């Protein structure tokens, strides 16, 4: 009889313990789900990219740059519903951004543009890194979206400067002057042959 009572009490204790563990697990799962929902909502709210050229000059000049058009199209397609969708979109944007180093239009193929593209790519890759972490720092993700927008504006404004500069007519002789300033095109000083130098030295003596 005592054995049966002991067994009953043991089973009751085990059952009670399991019930407490289940309740604790459910509470933790609910807490984790609420946290993930807050992260998703913050990222979803802050995920707003500039997906259109900032002015007509940029738009008209960039129509022929396939990599840029595909990059902008990728930015404009906002993910929905899950963090996983944002992670996939981030990876796709990063891939399109890397392609911006290819086929840069001749007009924009200069250091000021290339350096801005490099900075833009770096920030996009940082975004892709942060959003794939186990514990996503959502505030950093939103901050990087804002930083990427700033870099895009800076890049397009630099393009506009180049376009405007090309419209200004050059004064007569300006191109020749600019060529003279180009050290790569400069004519090296002719060095007199050694035997001529020796003859000159003999005359002086």
């Amino acid at each position: 009889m005592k054995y049966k009572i002991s067994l009953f009490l043991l089973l009751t204790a085990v059952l009670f313990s399991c019930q407490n563990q289940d309740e604790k697990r459910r509470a933790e799962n609910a807490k984790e789900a609420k946290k993930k929902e807050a992260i998703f909502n913050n990222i979803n709210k802050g995920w707003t990219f500039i997906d259109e050229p900032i002015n007509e000059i940029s738009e008209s000049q960039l129509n022929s740059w396939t990599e840029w058009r595909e990059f902008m199209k990728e930015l404009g397609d906002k993910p929905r519903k899950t963090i996983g969708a944002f992670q996939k979109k981030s990876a796709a944007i990063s891939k399109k951004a890397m392609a911006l180093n290819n086929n840069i239009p001749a007009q924009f193929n200069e250091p000021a543009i290339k350096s801005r593209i490099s900075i833009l790519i770096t920030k996009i890759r940082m975004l892709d890194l942060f959003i794939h972490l186990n514990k996503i720092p959502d505030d950093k993700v939103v901050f990087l979206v804002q930083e990427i927008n700033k870099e895009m504006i800076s890049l397009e404004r630099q393009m506009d400067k180049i376009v405007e500069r090309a419209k200004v007519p050059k004064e007569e002789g300006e191109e020749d002057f600019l060529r003279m300033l180009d050290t790569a095109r400069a004519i090296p000083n002719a060095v007199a042959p050694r035997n001529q130098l020796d003859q000159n030295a003999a005359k002086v003596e």
Side-chain angles (χ1 to χ4, degrees):
M1 187 68 179
K2 288 181 180 180
Y3 173 75
K4 289 182 179 179
I5 292 172
S6 298
L7 183 61
F8 175 75
L9 292 174
L10 179 62
L11 289 173
T12 302
V14 170
L15 184 62
F16 185 73
S17 176
C18 289
Q19 188 176 359
N20 284 344
Q21 288 294 330
D22 288 343
E23 287 178 2
K24 186 177 180 182
R25 195 179 296 112
R26 280 195 294 268
E28 287 175 355
N29 289 342
K31 185 178 179 181
E32 188 65 25
K34 192 173 181 180
K35 186 177 179 181
K36 286 181 179 179
E37 185 182 1
I39 290 172
F40 171 81
N41 289 337
N42 193 23
I43 291 174
N44 186 49
K45 185 179 178 181
W47 193 280
T48 305
F49 287 106
I50 297 172
D51 59 347
E52 294 291 338
I54 58 176
N55 55 42
E56 291 180 4
I57 294 175
S58 298
E59 188 171 10
S60 62
Q61 294 296 320
L62 294 171
N63 278 339
S64 60
W65 190 6
T66 303
E67 288 77 9
W68 179 264
R69 286 203 322 272
E70 290 179 354
F71 170 68
M72 295 294 275
K73 185 175 180 293
E74 198 69 58
L75 283 181
D77 185 18
K78 185 176 179 177
R80 304 286 177 188
K81 295 183 179 179
T82 65
I83 284 292
F86 281 98
Q87 290 172 332
K88 286 181 182 178
K89 174 56 65 176
S90 177
I93 291 172
S94 181
K95 186 177 179 181
K96 296 293 183 184
M98 292 294 292
L100 291 176
N101 283 316
N102 303 327
N103 303 317
I104 299 173
Q107 186 177 17
F108 300 132
N109 195 7
E110 58 178 61
I113 295 295
K114 289 181 177 180
S115 64
R116 283 169 172 78
I117 290 174
S118 178
I119 294 169
L120 177 63
I121 290 172
T122 299
K123 293 191 175 181
I124 288 172
R125 293 185 73 181
M126 284 175 65
L127 170 70
D128 190 38
L129 172 66
F130 282 131
I131 204 168
H132 278 91
L133 294 175
N134 290 331
K135 293 183 178 179
I136 301 173
D138 50 309
D139 289 338
K140 286 185 179 179
V141 169
V142 172
F143 173 76
L144 279 168
V145 169
Q146 296 168 356
E147 288 295 298
I148 289 165
N149 283 332
K150 288 178 184 177
E151 295 305 330
M152 288 176 62
I153 291 171
S154 173
L155 174 59
E156 290 192 28
R157 282 181 177 161
Q158 185 62 35
M159 290 175 180
D160 291 339
K161 286 180 184 178
I162 292 170
V163 173
E164 290 296 334
R165 192 172 64 213
K167 288 181 179 178
V168 178
K170 290 184 171 64
E171 294 182 9
E172 187 177 348
E174 185 178 348
E175 288 192 13
D176 293 333
F177 178 70
L178 291 173
R179 276 197 291 270
M180 287 173 61
L181 292 177
D182 188 352
T183 55
R185 294 171 179 264
I187 300 172
N189 292 330
V191 178
R194 183 170 181 80
N195 59 357
Q196 185 178 342
L197 291 174
D198 292 341
Q199 289 174 7
N200 291 340
K203 287 178 183 179
V204 171
E205 291 176 356

